[in-house]
Amino acid sequence: MSIWPSIKTITSDVASRKSSARDMVEKSLQIIEEHGEFKAIISLTKERALKRAEEIDARIAVGENVGRLAGVPFIAKDNFLVFGAETTAASNILRGFNAPYQSSAIERLEAEGAICVAKANLDAFAHGSSTENSDYMTTKNPHDAERVPGGSSGGSAAAVALSMAPFSLGTDTGGSIRLPASFCGVVGLKPTYGLVSRSGVVAMASSTDVIGPIASTVEDAALVLECMAGKDELDGTTIERDSQDYSDLKPVDLTGIKFGIVKEFFGSGVDESVRGSIDQAVNQIKSAGGEIVEVSIPSIDLALAVYYILCPAEVSSNLSRYDGQRYGHSDRDAVNLEESYAKSRSVGFGNEAKRRIMIGAYVLSSGYYDAYYQRAQLVRTKLINEFNKALESCDVLVGPTAPVQAFKIGENIADPLAMYLIDIMTVSANLVGIPAISIPVKSNNSLPVGLQLMVQQKQDKMLLEVAKKVEEVAA
Ligand code: GLN
């Protein structure tokens, strides 16, 4: 349970001067300090945050309307370019990199009065599912400090679960918002591909990278989306908004809504504890009037393989810009440029980044391109067609967010394949580009379980409305 009231309450209290932006920022910084042992935070943007809070309070004092997030502190994953702190993406190669500009998502939130107070830990370059691939530290799960928070936005999810701020930002390339939200017991929204600008966010795999909020409630996540969504001339893949107001969630009656239970998500790899909670949630949806049908999307069984070909291919291309000359770490002992590239990269990149660069370069190389990259693209198209068909026969697809609950730190680290398997339920939404959300549902033990809902592209508003109702009946 978050100690923060809803974001709407915070902004109305700040706007009516019942509290101040400065109080909110100080409270957030204090909670961050109190929970330092969870290692959720890489750096603070304290000075800038306090200065912004004072400016906001001063504007309110003269009667100005500051915006829909006036005085709300938040935490950004450390792959967002934010003024006032380094942007490291939790990698050694970007250590010391100060962004010369700020990401569009942060700009938009700031324009509404929100205040970034800190940068959260992640798997380096967002490659991972546990934050154990961070070059700096492993974040601990707030529900059990011996376990991982999920990844790659593990610091962002743990921060919200620990009430360090009312919301945080994450990125989701193959599940990195939803998986940690599920492991930490908070709400994680991956919007439709292109709905939120990626400008100023360290690129992982550009054809699936998406930005979204992590919050305590669906309502709060919706308000954050509302303040970020829409076309941005700095990101050519952004799309027009399809809703006037994503946060104006109308109450929905589940009667008449068809929930498609995705058969492939209930196979043998799913833990009993997860299965039990999800079954229970589905029963509650049914009791509240929802129509439950079973759907099959056979290519889901191939989605993980497709993702782990296409993603490293894009990663190997995106990481080529870190050559030790333009950003962050640069080897000073090299005798020529070639050696400088090699030495800067071999020291600056961790094992997982190197693994992905090698796999990516391999699947793109001549002689293997047709067998791997091109075939994976064909299966991706098949997957998109199957999802579209399934979403014609029902309104919302339902399943667990992950096959397991938070696992022990170290449990999967020596086995990359076991780690990749954790993403089996999240990667499809990225490959297809549809919006998906993870919401906490009743768990039968002390660790959280996330329920995943997915809808057609550009139905983000409907997804949020349904999720809000499901949150009411199944949490
Ligand atoms: N766990 C997935 C991976 O390692 C997803 C990462 C992400 O969404 N950033 O690729």
Side-chain angles (χ1 to χ4, degrees):
M1 268 300 275
S2 176
I3 62 142
W4 297 90
S6 72
I7 295 180
K8 277 193 179 135
T9 306
I10 298 173
T11 47
S12 87
D13 286 355
V14 170
S16 65
R17 303 179 73 189
K18 211 168 130 191
S19 64
S20 69
R22 196 183 165 100
D23 290 344
M24 297 300 102
V25 167
E26 280 175 348
K27 179 165 150 182
S28 175
L29 290 168
Q30 188 199 331
I31 300 170
I32 290 173
E33 199 183 321
E34 278 167 18
H35 292 306
E37 78 274 18
F38 285 93
K39 300 193 161 91
I41 302 300
I42 289 186
S43 58
L44 298 176
T45 47
K46 186 172 171 180
E47 258 169 54
R48 187 163 181 275
L50 288 169
K51 192 162 158 267
R52 278 185 41 79
E54 268 162 28
E55 281 162 14
I56 286 170
D57 288 332
R59 284 170 59 196
I60 289 170
V62 296
E64 263 186 59
N65 178 358
V66 175
R68 288 171 294 179
L69 297 174
V72 181
F74 72 96
I75 292 168
K77 188 175 179 177
D78 199 24
N79 55 356
F80 285 75
L81 272 53
V82 178
F83 291 139
E86 288 175 20
T87 297
T88 68
S91 72
N92 281 326
I93 206 159
L94 278 176
R95 219 182 259 272
F97 171 63
N98 278 308
Y101 66 102
Q102 193 158 249
S103 58
S104 295
I106 303 284
E107 286 285 315
R108 288 189 180 184
L109 295 179
E110 286 195 350
E112 294 286 352
I115 303 170
C116 181
V117 292
K119 311 279 305 282
N121 193 30
L122 62 149
D123 290 289
F125 287 109
H127 305 161
S129 310
S130 66
T131 82
E132 291 167 292
N133 292 337
S134 166
D135 289 345
Y136 300 175
M137 59 199 179
T138 296
T139 301
K140 297 175 179 176
N141 190 305
H143 297 266
D144 178 349
E146 289 187 358
R147 293 175 186 269
V148 302
S152 63
S153 315
S156 299
V160 171
L162 291 163
S163 297
M164 290 177 169
F167 77 92
S168 63
L169 291 185
T171 57
D172 192 313
T173 302
S176 278
I177 288 175
R178 289 159 288 154
L179 179 70
S182 156
F183 280 13
C184 292
V186 291
V187 173
L189 171 69
K190 170 223 168 302
T192 296
Y193 179 76
L195 189 56
V196 179
S197 170
R198 295 176 293 118
S199 170
V201 178
V202 176
M204 180 179 166
S206 308
S207 82
T208 62
D209 284 349
V210 168
I211 283 154
I214 296 175
S216 299
T217 62
V218 173
E219 195 179 39
D220 282 353
L223 183 52
V224 179
L225 175 69
E226 164 60 20
C227 295
M228 299 191 294
K231 228 171 161 49
D232 175 16
E233 61 176 24
L234 298 175
D235 175 357
T237 61
T238 47
I239 55 172
E240 295 292 350
R241 296 164 61 103
D242 53 280
S243 166
Q244 295 285 339
D245 187 349
Y246 291 95
S247 64
D248 176 27
L249 303 179
K250 301 271 181 304
V252 294
D253 181 355
L254 294 187
T255 315
I257 297 186
K258 233 189 212 181
F259 290 83
I261 309 297
V262 184
K263 191 176 134 215
E264 288 73 16
F265 285 159
F266 292 84
S268 55
V270 183
D271 269 7
E272 277 315 309
S273 55
V274 172
R275 194 188 298 272
S277 284
I278 301 300
D279 285 350
Q280 209 169 302
V282 169
N283 281 333
Q284 277 155 331
I285 292 171
K286 197 171 169 189
S287 310
E291 186 186 340
I292 309 291
V293 295
E294 191 182 90
V295 299
S296 173
I297 305 176
S299 293
I300 280 179
D301 291 342
L302 301 170
L304 200 67
V306 169
Y307 173 82
Y308 276 102
I309 290 171
L310 298 182
C311 166
E314 295 185 32
V315 162
S316 71
S317 159
N318 273 326
L319 292 186
S320 65
R321 73 191 63 164
Y322 304 105
D323 55 6
Q325 317 308 311
R326 287 169 287 180
Y327 319 91
H329 171 78
S330 180
D331 186 275
R332 295 283 162 207
D333 300 328
V335 294
N336 57 35
L337 188 60
E338 198 66 27
E339 195 178 308
S340 170
Y341 289 156
K343 283 193 167 167
S344 302
R345 285 168 71 83
S346 55
V347 171
F349 286 134
N351 286 344
E352 186 60 26
K354 286 178 186 160
R355 183 177 294 124
R356 292 190 193 214
I357 290 169
M358 282 190 278
I359 296 173
Y362 179 82
V363 300
L364 287 172
S365 59
S366 107
Y368 297 102
Y369 179 91
D370 295 357
Y372 293 104
Y373 185 79
Q374 203 173 36
R375 270 176 104 184
Q377 289 290 21
L378 291 174
V379 182
R380 181 179 188 176
T381 304
K382 194 160 180 272
L383 188 72
I384 293 171
N385 293 338
E386 286 179 21
F387 262 86
N388 286 341
K389 206 163 148 232
L391 281 164
E392 274 163 21
S393 69
C394 65
D395 304 299
V396 185
L397 296 172
V398 183
T401 304
V404 295
Q405 292 174 287
F407 48 87
K408 287 248 167 86
I409 292 173
E411 194 176 319
N412 290 320
I413 197 68
D415 184 352
L417 201 60
M419 194 70 95
Y420 295 170
L421 276 167
I422 312 288
D423 307 329
I424 197 148
M425 288 147 180
T426 47
V427 294
S428 290
N430 299 81
L431 291 168
V432 177
I434 53 176
I437 193 167
S438 177
I439 52 176
V441 291
K442 221 174 257 132
S443 164
N444 300 318
N445 56 35
S446 59
L447 296 171
V449 175
L451 175 80
Q452 181 173 220
L453 306 175
M454 291 177 273
V455 300
Q456 269 172 5
Q457 276 195 355
K458 300 194 191 181
Q459 297 286 321
D460 302 69
K461 173 87 178 274
M462 187 270 272
L463 174 68
L464 288 161
E465 286 176 340
V466 172
K468 183 163 186 258
K469 186 70 193 178
V470 171
E471 181 183 50
E472 263 168 52
V473 303

